């Protein structure tokens, strides 16, 4: 049984500048001293691997915000009441039909339909195209002096891949990229009014755009995921207009923003551990384990939420029904009880690296995990083998996000 600690002495504060700069010392304290932590914000935070893994797979939990009672959910409603009214009140479309925000049976039905257009075989067929895109970037930056991994590769590559995979029309990619970037802020447990307004504006713009794209795709079917989603059918069931739109938005965010962070965070870790960079570069057999180790070491998705549907007891702490619980994936990924005394170190040959929880677990395990692994493997292995003497050319610039934590800039040379 764990002992509750004095909240005044230790509490989860993701807005602390020290946390934003490096969350790992803070979550290590929580994991050691108060692993089942009740925040003053009215949410609970889990930081140990065993607890995170179990809750992610617990069928007596929900991902639907309507099941939250009080706390942070009510605070957001009060804080952004004027914005909600300005942008359509409770009737506005907010992505509630995306599988990330749905419980069974709706989640089961929609994921089955979406999965038909998102198979492992289809993803692996993208390898030659991804390799060609990476090679083209590396050809361009070779010998040109310092360059930025995020700006030149980590940001445009996954955006291009998910756009082509979906089969979106040409000409609107810059707008979609900006909308997607704004929408990711809503995944943070705390968000400013400015960022919430930008997210509402992006949501409305994306909705209007997709309301035009879907009829266009019906009239111009092709061998792509969007056509597959439009045509997806199982036992006479199809996606509604809102369901279809929300899955497309989710695929853009999950298929783009998270992979940007994987490549940026992963390359930063390798550059700060040059022995591991050289080890991977010299041994192609490490391609698979190295990517999973970097996903474990500095998770591109740091938090995942669950809402309790019944009284839940974890390590002697009782969590009431309808309570928001944040599973801290990044903290769990560095739990010494799971990963041993080297949990805070990079080991590209770690044999059990794939057991990380960066992609979640259970019924909400990330649908795009195979795509993220493929893009990360091709991009990072190509960089370190093309430029074995690569090093930092300046200070990395963090993106300032809590949940989708990554970099806005990673300058390199060599």
């Amino acid at each position: 049984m764990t002992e509750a600690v004095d909240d005044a002495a230790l509490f989860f504060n993701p807005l602390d500048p020290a946390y934003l700069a490096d969350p790992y010392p803070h979550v290590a304290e929580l994991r050691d001293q108060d692993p089942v932590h009740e925040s003053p914000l009215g949410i609970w935070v889990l930081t140990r691997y065993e607890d995170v893994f179990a809750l992610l797979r617990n069928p007596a939990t929900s991902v639907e915000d309507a099941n939250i009672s009080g706390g942070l959910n009510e605070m957001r409603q009060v804080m952004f009441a004027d914005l909600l009214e300005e942008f359509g009140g409770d009737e506005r479309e907010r992505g509630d039909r995306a599988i990330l925000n749905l419980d069974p049976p709706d989640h089961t039905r929609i994921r089955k339909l979406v999965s038909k257009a998102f198979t492992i075989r289809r993803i692996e067929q993208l390898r030659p195209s991804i390799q060609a895109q990476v090679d083209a970037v590396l050809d361009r930056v070779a010998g040109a002096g310092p360059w930025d991994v995020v700006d030149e590769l980590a940001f445009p590559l996954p955006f291009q891949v998910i756009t082509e995979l979906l089969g979106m029309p040409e000409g609107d990619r810059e707008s979609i990229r900006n909308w997607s970037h704004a929408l990711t802020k809503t995944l943070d447990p705390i968000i400013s009014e400015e960022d919430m307004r930008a997210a509402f504006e992006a949501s409305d713009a994306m909705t209007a755009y997709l309301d035009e794209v879907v009829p266009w795709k019906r009239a111009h079917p092709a061998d792509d995921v969007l056509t597959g989603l439009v045509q997806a059918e199982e036992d006479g069931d199809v996606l509604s207009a809102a369901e279809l739109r929300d899955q497309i938005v989710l695929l853009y965010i999950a298929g783009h923003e998270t992979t940007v962070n994987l490549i940026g965070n992963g390359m930063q870790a390798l550059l700060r551990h040059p022995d591991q960079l050289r080890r991977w570069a010299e041994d192609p057999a490490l391609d698979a384990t190295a990517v999973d180790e970097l996903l474990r070491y500095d998770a591109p998705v740091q938090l995942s939420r669950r809402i309790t549907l019944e009284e839940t007891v974890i390590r002697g702490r009782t969590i009431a029904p309808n309570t928001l619980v944040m599973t801290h994936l990044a903290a769990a990924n560095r739990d010494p009880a799971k990963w041993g005394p080297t949990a805070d170190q990079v080991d590209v040959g770690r044999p059990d690296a794939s057991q990380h929880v960066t992609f979640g677990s259970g019924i909400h395990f990330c649908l795009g995990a195979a795509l993220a692994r493929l893009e990360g493997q091709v991009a990072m292995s190509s960089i370190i083998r093309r430029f074995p003497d690569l090093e930092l050319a300046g200070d990395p610039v963090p993106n300032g996000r809590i949940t989708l934590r990554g970099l806005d800039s990673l300058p390199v040379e060599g």
Side-chain angles (χ1 to χ4, degrees), residues 155 158-160 162-163 166 168 172-187 195 198-207 209-210 247-261 399 401 404:
F155 204 100
F159 182 80
Q160 181 78 7
I162 196 63
T163 299
L166 282 169
M168 300 293 282
D172 297 281
R173 297 187 178 187
E174 186 64 27
S175 294
I176 297 170
R177 184 172 71 176
N178 293 335
W179 298 334
S180 174
H181 211 50
L183 286 168
T184 61
K185 274 288 192 177
T186 63
L187 299 176
D195 286 333
F200 281 165
E201 291 173 348
S203 176
D204 288 350
M206 181 77 94
T207 295
Y209 173 69
L210 293 177
Q247 306 328 307
I248 298 169
V249 173
L250 174 63
L251 288 174
Y252 258 110
I253 294 175
H256 172 236
E257 296 284 346
T258 56
T259 309
V260 175
N261 295 350
N399 65 9
R401 292 195 167 103
L404 299 187

Side-chain angles (χ1 to χ4, degrees), residues 4 28 37 46 53 68 84 89 121 144 150 159-160 181 192 204 227 269 272 302 345 359 379 391:
H37 172 72
L46 305 183
F53 185 79
I68 302 174
L84 283 167
R121 181 168 175 261
V150 175
F159 182 80
Q160 181 78 7
H181 211 50
S192 70
D204 288 350
T227 298
R272 288 178 170 170
Q302 300 253 311
Q345 300 173 21
F359 293 128
E391 59 184 18

Side-chain angles (χ1 to χ4, degrees), residues 103-368:
D103 299 332
D106 286 339
H107 173 272
T108 307
R109 176 181 66 84
I110 296 178
R111 186 174 178 114
K112 191 174 183 180
L113 292 174
V114 173
S115 297
K116 290 170 70 71
F118 221 78
T119 64
I120 296 292
R121 181 168 175 261
R122 186 169 208 153
I123 296 305
E124 186 58 33
Q125 289 173 343
L126 296 171
R127 183 181 291 272
S129 173
I130 293 172
Q131 186 68 66
Q133 292 179 59
V134 171
D135 289 343
V137 171
L138 301 188
D139 287 345
R140 186 177 68 249
V141 301
W147 59 284
D148 194 308
V149 172
V150 175
D151 186 57
E152 297 286 351
L153 183 61
F155 204 100
L157 174 68
F159 182 80
Q160 181 78 7
V161 170
I162 196 63
T163 299
E164 292 180 357
L165 182 64
L166 282 169
M168 300 293 282
E170 298 287 343
D172 297 281
R173 297 187 178 187
E174 186 64 27
S175 294
I176 297 170
R177 184 172 71 176
N178 293 335
W179 298 334
S180 174
H181 211 50
L183 286 168
T184 61
K185 274 288 192 177
T186 63
L187 299 176
D188 285 351
I190 302 172
I191 181 173
S192 70
E193 182 173 349
E194 179 183 1
D195 286 333
M196 183 63 86
R197 174 179 290 278
F200 281 165
E201 291 173 348
S203 176
D204 288 350
M206 181 77 94
T207 295
Y209 173 69
L210 293 177
D211 283 345
E212 295 179 357
V213 167
V214 170
W216 176 86
K217 180 57 69 173
R218 292 188 193 278
H220 301 85
D223 184 21
D224 54 51
V225 170
L226 183 51
T227 298
L229 293 177
V230 169
Q231 297 177 346
E233 186 169 357
E234 187 75 27
D235 299 327
D237 195 7
V238 295
L239 296 172
S240 70
E243 289 169 345
L244 176 60
R245 184 171 57 241
D246 285 353
Q247 306 328 307
I248 298 169
V249 173
L250 174 63
L251 288 174
Y252 258 110
I253 294 175
H256 172 236
E257 296 284 346
T258 56
T259 309
V260 175
N261 295 350
L262 163 58
I263 297 172
N265 294 358
M267 284 304 305
Q268 176 179 235
L270 291 171
L271 291 165
R272 288 178 170 170
H273 299 82
D275 60 321
Q276 295 300 307
L277 187 156
R278 289 191 296 271
R279 181 184 175 194
W280 182 13
E282 294 168 0
D283 187 357
L286 294 176
D287 283 2
T289 58
V291 170
D292 273 311
E293 172 65 355
L294 296 171
L295 282 161
R296 181 201 71 84
Y297 177 75
D298 194 5
V301 181
Q302 300 253 311
L303 297 161
S304 183
R305 79 194 191 291
R306 291 294 186 271
I307 300 111
T308 56
L309 296 178
E310 60 186 36
E311 186 175 276
T312 303
V313 179
I314 305 175
R315 297 185 186 273
R317 306 293 301 276
T318 300
I319 304 175
N322 306 111
T323 298
L324 177 62
V325 182
M326 303 301 295
T327 60
H328 206 297
L329 309 177
N333 282 344
R334 292 205 191 182
D335 186 353
K338 170 64 178 177
W339 309 104
T342 64
D344 281 322
Q345 300 173 21
V346 178
D347 176 2
V348 294
R350 192 181 297 273
D352 57 353
S354 63
Q355 295 178 26
H356 62 76
V357 288
T358 298
F359 293 128
S361 190
I363 64 171
H364 289 284
F365 183 81
C366 178
L367 190 65

